[in-house]
Amino acid sequence: MNLLESFRIAVRALGANKARSALTMLGVIIGVAAVILLVSLGTGVQREVTGQIEGLGSNLLFVFPGNLTGGGGGQGGADIQKQFTLDDADYLQSRLGAQGTVIPQLQAAASMRAGNRTLNAALTASNENVKDASLGTLASGRWYSRGEVVGASRVVVIGSGVRDQLLPGVKDPIGQQIKVNGQPFTVIGLLEARGGSFAGNQDNNISIPITTAQQLLGTGDISSMLVKTVSANTVDAVKAQTERILSPRFGEQFTVFTQQQTLSILSTLLGTLTAMLAGLAGISLLVGGIGIMNIMLVSVSERTREIGIRKAVGARTYDILSQFVIEAVLLSALGGVIGIVVGAGGALAIHKWVPAQVTPWAVVLAFVFSAAVGVFFGVYPAYRASRLDPIEALRYE
C-alpha cells in the first residue's frame, strides 16, 4: 500500500467521526489562533512605538532623572534619587547655548470640565519651545508664549478629541473657557486629529505652560527634558556635553538617551514581551496536541479488529504506522489552517482599537509548530497500532 492509499484511508477514517475530529481540532485551532493574535499584537505595538519615536526626529536627546542603565540601581531599573527642576533645564540651556534647545516636560493626568461635560485627559506641560516637542500639529490657534510661561498663564492647547467631547458642535474652540483640575483655562490652540494608539487616544491630550502645571499640581519638579540639536550630526557631541554639564549636579543619577538608544531599548523590551506572549499561546497549542494523542489512542483501541484484519490480509507495519500518523498530522494541520484564519481575522477586527499586524513569520511558525505537534503526538498511538499482533487483534472485542 502506497502513501496515497494511506492518505485516503486516513481521510475516510476522520470523515467517519466528523464531530470527534472537529472537537479534537478545536484545541489546535485555539492554540494557533492565540499565537497569531498575540504575536500580531506584540508586533503591532512594537512597530507603532518605534514609528512614533522615529517620527520625533533623529536630532533629539531624551534626558531622564535616575540611572536607567543599571549602574546606580544595581538591578537595571530606575533609581531616582533626585528629580529635575526648571532651574536644571535653564542651567542646561544656558550652557548648551545654540548647540541645542532644551524642552522641559511635566506629564500627569488631568480632569477637565466644560459645562456639565467632564473628561479625563493626559496633560503634557512644557515651555515656549513646546512646538519642537512633537506633541502634534496645530489645526488652529497658537502655542503658548515665553511671557505666558513666565507668568504661569492659564492657557491650554487641546486635542481634537477633547474638543469633540467637551465642546460638541464647536468647530473652532479658540477663546472658549474650560476647567482643568477645577481651574479655569482659556483655549488658545487646537491640535489636528492623530487617532488612537496602544497608549490610548492621542487626541485626548492637552498642553499647558509648565509653570502653570507646577502650580496646578503643587510640585516644583519636572518629569524629563528633551534636547533638540541643530542637526543629527551633532547628536553625539551634544549628548557628551549634556552629560558633562549635568554630572556635577546629579553624579550618575541621570540618563541621556539618543533616539537610536531609545529605539534599541524599546525594541528589546517589546520583542521580549512578544516572545513571552507567543510562548504562553504555545502552551495552549501543546494542550491541543495532547488532545490529539488522547483521541488517537482511543481510535486505535476502537479499531483494533480493523487493524487485525488489515494485517491478516497483508498490510505491513509501515502501512498501519503511516495511516495513523497521517490522521494525526491531518487533524493538526487542518486545525492550524483554521486557527490561522481565525487569528488573522481577530487581529484585523481589533486593529481599529489597538495596533495589530499579522506577520508572515508568525503564520509560518504557527503552522509548522501545529504540524510538528501532530507528528509528535501522533507517533506513539501509530506505533502502538502498528505493533499489534494480528491474531490478538482479531480476538479483540
Side-chain angles (χ1 to χ4, degrees), residues 18-52:
K18 294 185 179 64
R20 188 166 70 182
S21 299
L23 290 174
T24 305
M25 284 192 299
L26 192 58
V28 177
I29 293 172
I30 293 173
V32 171
V35 169
I36 296 292
L37 187 59
L38 293 179
V39 170
S40 65
L41 277 174
T43 304
V45 169
Q46 186 173 2
R47 292 198 176 186
E48 176 159 318
V49 170
T50 54
Q52 287 183 353

Side-chain angles (χ1 to χ4, degrees), residues 23 57 68 132 145 148 152 168 180 183 232 249 272 332 359 380 394:
L23 290 174
L68 304 181
D132 294 324
S145 64
E148 288 167 331
V180 180
Q183 300 300 317
R249 289 192 174 195
T272 303
S332 59
T359 54
Y380 176 67
L394 287 171

Side-chain angles (χ1 to χ4, degrees), residues 27-191:
V28 177
I29 293 172
I30 293 173
V32 171
V35 169
I36 296 292
L37 187 59
L38 293 179
V39 170
S40 65
L41 277 174
T43 304
V45 169
Q46 186 173 2
R47 292 198 176 186
E48 176 159 318
V49 170
T50 54
Q52 287 183 353
I53 293 177
E54 287 173 347
L56 295 177
S58 57
N59 59 337
L60 277 181
L61 293 173
F62 305 85
V63 188
F64 299 100
N67 190 328
L68 304 181
T69 61
Q75 301 296 324
D79 180 21
I80 302 175
Q81 298 178 4
K82 185 179 180 182
Q83 293 282 359
F84 293 142
T85 64
L86 277 179
D87 180 61
D88 298 318
D90 292 339
Y91 175 70
L92 180 60
Q93 180 65 81
S94 65
R95 295 291 303 275
L96 286 178
Q99 297 182 71
T101 301
V102 179
I103 310 165
Q105 290 197 311
L106 177 58
Q107 295 170 325
S111 61
M112 306 184 65
R113 186 179 187 89
N116 59 354
R117 296 178 180 275
T118 59
L119 175 68
N120 291 322
L123 183 154
T124 300
S126 189
N127 63 5
E128 66 277 10
N129 299 319
V130 62
K131 59 182 180 299
D132 294 324
S134 300
L135 297 177
T137 303
L138 282 175
S140 64
R142 61 176 177 83
W143 291 104
Y144 31 86
S145 64
R146 172 68 179 170
E148 288 167 331
V149 173
V150 172
S153 300
R154 291 180 177 176
V155 293
V156 60
V157 177
I158 64 174
S160 60
V162 175
R163 176 200 59 183
D164 296 340
Q165 295 178 67
L166 285 185
L167 305 168
V170 178
K171 185 176 180 180
D172 188 358
I174 307 304
Q176 296 283 332
Q177 294 289 314
I178 62 175
K179 288 188 175 180
V180 180
N181 285 5
Q183 300 300 317
F185 277 73
T186 302
V187 179
I188 62 170
L190 172 69
L191 296 174

